[in-house]
Amino acid sequence: MRKADEQGFREFAVTHAASLRRTAYLFCGDWHTAEDLMQQSLMKLYQAWHRVQQQDHAGAYARKILLRTWLDEKRRPWRRAEQRDGELPETADSNADPDLVSGRLWARELIQKALIKVPPRQRAVLVLRYFEDLSVTDVAAVMGCTEGTVKSQTARGLVALRVAVDALENNGSAMETEVAS
């Protein structure tokens, strides 16, 4: 790779690594796996950088690589045996009201747990649409499907997310009742 191309890739990687890692976390629900997915995606992007740079769609191409890398990783048999039950560390927001902070943390944790229960393609659509704020057309391009598929997967994913949130909320209130009695 030419020195100018390598410098362009380095700049892209530095500016987009955090975003790719966050998206990977939303896909898989584990920071360590998200880090691995981001690194694998950047390695694949590096190999194709001369083609990507000419098309001027490096961000979209990187998200597509990340999505496909995650889907490939989910298909690996050894991943199926792992259970990810660990709790994520949260950092305190010292500038906010403690009651508001705990409410936001509770909601974020609830959504993250529920999102993991949504089927992979529906989860991918929800993450790209609502967390990455991509349009239906952009999500269709990243996922390699039609806009109608994105819309239907979004609708089904939202239903699955609501069901998962309700189930988690009901389990949480049932556990509180047991502890109180």
Side-chain angles (χ1 to χ4, degrees):
M1 182 180 287
R2 294 184 332 201
K3 199 157 190 90
D5 288 343
E6 188 163 332
Q7 183 61 29
F9 174 78
R10 286 178 187 267
E11 290 172 9
F12 176 85
V14 167
T15 58
H16 289 83
S19 173
L20 290 171
R21 184 171 176 252
R22 183 188 71 235
T23 302
Y25 171 75
L26 292 170
F27 285 152
C28 68
D30 176 54
W31 283 113
H32 299 291
T33 305
E35 184 75 27
D36 293 344
L37 290 171
M38 185 238 356
Q39 289 176 358
Q40 289 172 6
S41 298
L42 287 175
M43 287 174 26
K44 291 176 182 180
L45 182 64
Y46 181 81
Q47 293 172 346
W49 185 249
H50 64 283
R51 291 188 314 262
V52 175
Q53 192 177 16
Q54 294 169 357
Q55 296 175 359
D56 201 31
H57 298 293
Y61 191 68
R63 282 190 298 271
K64 182 181 263 187
I65 290 172
L66 179 64
L67 173 65
R68 291 185 176 167
T69 302
W70 171 65
L71 290 173
D72 288 346
E73 191 71 17
K74 282 215 42 99
R75 292 180 187 122
R76 293 177 194 239
W78 63 272
R79 279 276 182 218
R80 293 183 197 133
E82 286 186 24
Q83 295 294 328
R84 293 191 173 94
D85 301 314
E87 293 188 26
L88 300 174
E90 297 291 338
T91 57
D93 184 3
S94 60
N95 297 326
D97 178 17
D99 290 334
L100 295 176
V101 170
S102 66
R104 284 196 305 260
L105 292 176
W106 173 81
R108 180 172 40 183
E109 183 179 312
L110 180 67
I111 293 297
Q112 287 173 342
K113 285 181 180 178
L115 197 55
I116 294 301
K117 296 183 182 299
V118 174
R121 269 184 79 83
Q122 294 171 8
R123 184 182 334 154
V125 170
L126 293 177
V127 167
L128 293 172
R129 286 281 291 134
Y130 299 109
F131 291 94
E132 286 294 316
D133 202 27
L134 297 180
S135 68
V136 172
T137 305
D138 293 340
V139 174
V142 168
M143 293 188 66
C145 62
T146 65
E147 290 180 22
T149 301
V150 170
K151 291 175 185 177
S152 67
Q153 290 291 311
T154 300
R156 290 181 185 128
L158 288 172
V159 168
L161 186 62
R162 283 185 196 107
V163 168
V165 165
D166 288 343
L168 288 170
E169 282 182 328
N170 291 337
N171 287 343
S173 62
M175 292 176 85
E176 290 173 8
T177 305
E178 279 182 25
V179 171
S181 52

